[in-house]
């Protein structure tokens, strides 16, 4: 039985593509192991799969000044040592990384042990962790054609975004029942990412009285962001995060408001869900979500509202436009032909044709 170590974390976007690969790897009789941080969201998402989870230390990689930058390099060094030891015990045939700061020590330790390393970059421009990791990688898989130019010639391969197969199996009626909704009004799902989005949450909640006259609202507001005062409001359900039952909720969803992380928007595109994207602003990111959103908008797959332009009024206007142009957006999304990203990645990693 061949053995593979998966790694990546810090946000759900660095983990969910693994959830697309895991069932196919099991079908191919791979022995699966995961290396992540002790308390990261990756542990929360991976442990329910039943695969062994191995925690290590890791410092966060920042592009800005922070006093923690002086001590975090020592955490990274400790993480490399821990990963080197764990890889020696696991003895994997290959390491696959989805990025995030926890992946860097694992990738470096794998290179030190002579273990082939494959990484996946979701966005048009690579994150800092993947920029570092690519120096030690055998191959870099990218979602966007535009991303290839950021890596040495021949290293990057366009595969698209791995889509979780279980998302295709949802049942609309079951989702409506689980939410306590009817089929009289369309369902608008808001996802601010696994960590939530304060300004999106605030404007959605400020607009609830008007929104619930036209929509039933599913609000995934992020950890610690539940508003107890809104529990029980008719036509409004709030969750920190949905894991079990997510496919049914998505099947019941008619419209989406989302950040513009690559994994999520390709899932919405594949499922043909009309979307309003609100990318992370430059003040809180390297601008990758802005580029993702602009790429999708150019192809007619979505509408975009920039966070710095968002008010209660502009948000309501953008949602109204989304509803009005539903059929046009769906028609454009139907033109998108999704390849089998999962099989393409796995066939490359395993050497199969």
């Amino acid at each position: 039985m061949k053995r593979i170590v998966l790694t990546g974390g810090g946000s759900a976007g660095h983990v969910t593509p693994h959830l697309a690969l895991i069932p196919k790897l099991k079908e191919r009789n791979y022995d699966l192991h995961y290396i992540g941080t002790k308390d990261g969201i990756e542990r929360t998402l991976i442990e329910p799969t039943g695969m062994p989870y191995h925690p290590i230390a890791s410092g966060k990689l920042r592009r800005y000044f922070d006093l923690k930058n002086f001590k975090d390099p020592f955490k990274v060094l400790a993480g490399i040592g821990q990963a080197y030891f764990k890889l020696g015990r696991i003895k994997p045939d290959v390491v696959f990384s989805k990025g995030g700061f926890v992946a860097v020590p694992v990738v470096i330790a794998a290179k030190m042990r002579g273990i082939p390393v494959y990484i996946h970059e979701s966005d048009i421009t690579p994150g800092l962790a993947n920029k570092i990791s690519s120096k030690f990688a055998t191959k870099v898989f990218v979602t966007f054609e535009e991303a290839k130019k950021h890596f040495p010639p021949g290293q990057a391969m366009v595969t698209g975004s791995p889509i979780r197969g279980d998302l295709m199996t949802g049942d609309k009626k079951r989702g409506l029942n689980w939410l306590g909704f009817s089929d009289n009004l369309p369902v608008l799902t808001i996802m601010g990412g696994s960590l939530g989005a304060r300004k999106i949450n605030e404007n959605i909640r400020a607009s609830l009285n008007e929104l619930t006259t036209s929509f039933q609202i599913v609000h995934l507001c992020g950890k610690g962001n539940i508003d107890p005062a809104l529990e029980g409001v008719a036509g409004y359900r709030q969750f920190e995060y949905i894991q079990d039952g997510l496919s049914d909720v998505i099947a019941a969803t008619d419209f989406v408001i989302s950040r513009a992380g690559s994994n999520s928007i390709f899932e919405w595109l594949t499922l043909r869900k009309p979307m309003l994207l609100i990318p992370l602003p430059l003040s809180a990111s390297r601008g990758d979500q802005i580029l993702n959103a602009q790429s999708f908008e150019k192809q007619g797959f979505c509408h975009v509202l920039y966070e710095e332009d968002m008010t209660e009024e502009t948000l309501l206007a953008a949602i109204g436009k989304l509803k009005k142009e539903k059929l046009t957006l769906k028609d454009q999304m139907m033109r998108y032909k999704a390849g089998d990203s999962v099989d393409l990645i796995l066939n490359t990693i395993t050497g199969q044709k």
Side-chain angles (χ1 to χ4, degrees):
M1 179 180 289
K2 288 191 175 182
R3 191 167 293 138
I4 185 169
V5 163
L6 308 177
T7 188
S11 71
H14 290 126
V15 185
T16 50
H18 287 307
L19 301 179
L21 298 175
I22 287 169
K24 292 291 188 76
L25 283 165
K26 288 181 176 178
E27 287 177 9
R28 299 183 186 210
N29 294 316
Y30 266 77
D31 180 22
L32 309 179
H33 294 257
Y34 203 98
I35 298 180
T37 55
K38 181 180 179 182
D39 300 314
I41 190 171
E42 62 270 20
R43 189 166 198 166
T44 302
L45 296 175
I46 291 297
E47 286 192 335
T49 68
M51 62 189 294
Y53 187 93
H54 309 273
I56 63 167
S58 182
K60 186 173 182 179
L61 304 168
R62 302 176 183 85
R63 298 170 183 261
Y64 53 87
F65 177 79
D66 191 297
L67 289 175
K68 292 178 181 178
N69 289 344
F70 294 102
K71 65 178 182 179
D72 278 8
F74 297 100
K75 291 183 179 179
V76 174
L77 289 173
I80 293 171
Q82 292 168 5
Y84 185 86
F85 175 73
K86 291 178 185 294
L87 290 172
R89 291 181 58 190
I90 299 168
K91 293 182 172 57
D93 298 284
V94 64
V95 167
F96 177 73
S97 166
K98 251 321 271 127
F101 56 86
V102 69
V104 175
V106 183
V107 168
I108 294 174
K111 182 67 173 180
M112 292 167 64
R113 285 198 171 272
I115 301 167
V117 173
Y118 295 83
I119 66 176
H120 186 276
E121 174 54 57
S122 295
D123 298 308
I124 290 176
T125 60
L128 181 55
N130 271 348
K131 275 189 174 180
I132 296 171
S133 295
S134 67
K135 310 297 183 185
F136 308 93
T138 304
K139 181 70 72 176
V140 179
F141 303 120
V142 295
T143 297
F144 293 91
E145 179 72 32
E146 300 98 310
K148 289 175 67 176
K149 66 183 180 183
H150 297 285
F151 301 99
Q155 187 185 35
M157 174 181 179
V158 180
T159 62
S161 182
I163 305 298
R164 291 172 283 177
D166 61 320
L167 292 184
M168 315 294 178
T169 64
D171 182 85
K172 178 176 181 177
K173 184 176 180 181
R174 196 163 57 216
L176 290 173
N177 289 339
W178 187 78
L179 292 165
F181 288 170
S182 70
D183 57 4
N184 295 329
L185 290 175
V187 173
L188 172 64
T189 294
I190 298 99
M191 299 182 71
S194 58
L195 304 178
R198 180 182 59 81
K199 193 170 181 181
I200 295 175
N201 292 346
E202 289 175 352
N203 279 280
I204 287 294
R205 286 165 172 161
S207 308
L208 269 185
N209 286 340
E210 186 161 351
L211 284 175
T212 51
T213 63
S214 303
F215 301 94
Q216 298 170 103
I217 309 294
V218 181
H219 190 179
L220 278 65
C221 55
K223 188 174 182 180
N225 294 324
I226 295 289
D227 185 344
L230 297 176
E231 291 290 344
V233 170
Y236 176 76
R237 295 293 309 277
Q238 56 181 337
F239 306 89
E240 289 187 343
Y241 185 83
I242 298 175
Q243 190 162 355
D244 296 333
L246 179 61
S247 60
D248 292 335
V249 170
I250 291 176
T253 296
D254 298 287
F255 301 94
V256 174
I257 297 176
S258 174
R259 285 300 196 193
S262 174
N263 301 314
S264 296
I265 64 177
F266 271 94
E267 288 177 345
W268 302 129
L269 174 58
T270 302
L271 294 164
R272 313 295 192 241
K273 302 293 181 181
M275 50 187 145
L276 172 65
L277 300 183
I278 306 175
L280 274 169
L282 280 172
S283 59
S285 72
R286 67 179 192 276
D288 52 301
Q289 290 200 9
I290 294 173
L291 293 176
N292 295 346
Q294 289 173 343
S295 175
F296 264 43
E297 184 178 41
K298 185 178 179 181
Q299 297 174 78
F301 297 154
C302 71
H303 291 316
V304 177
L305 175 63
Y306 295 101
E307 185 164 305
E308 53 268 31
D309 299 327
M310 180 169 53
T311 63
E312 184 179 343
E313 291 75 23
T314 60
L315 179 62
L316 286 170
I319 294 171
K321 183 180 179 183
L322 183 72
K323 186 177 182 181
K324 182 179 179 181
E325 298 185 8
K326 171 185 175 179
L327 295 180
T328 301
L329 289 166
K330 276 184 166 288
D331 182 62
Q332 286 300 112
M333 287 189 284
M334 289 298 292
R335 300 173 190 271
Y336 170 73
K337 304 298 182 185
D340 197 335
S341 176
V342 172
D343 280 340
L344 185 55
I345 289 171
L346 292 186
N347 289 343
T348 305
I349 290 174
T350 60
Q352 297 181 12
K353 301 296 183 183

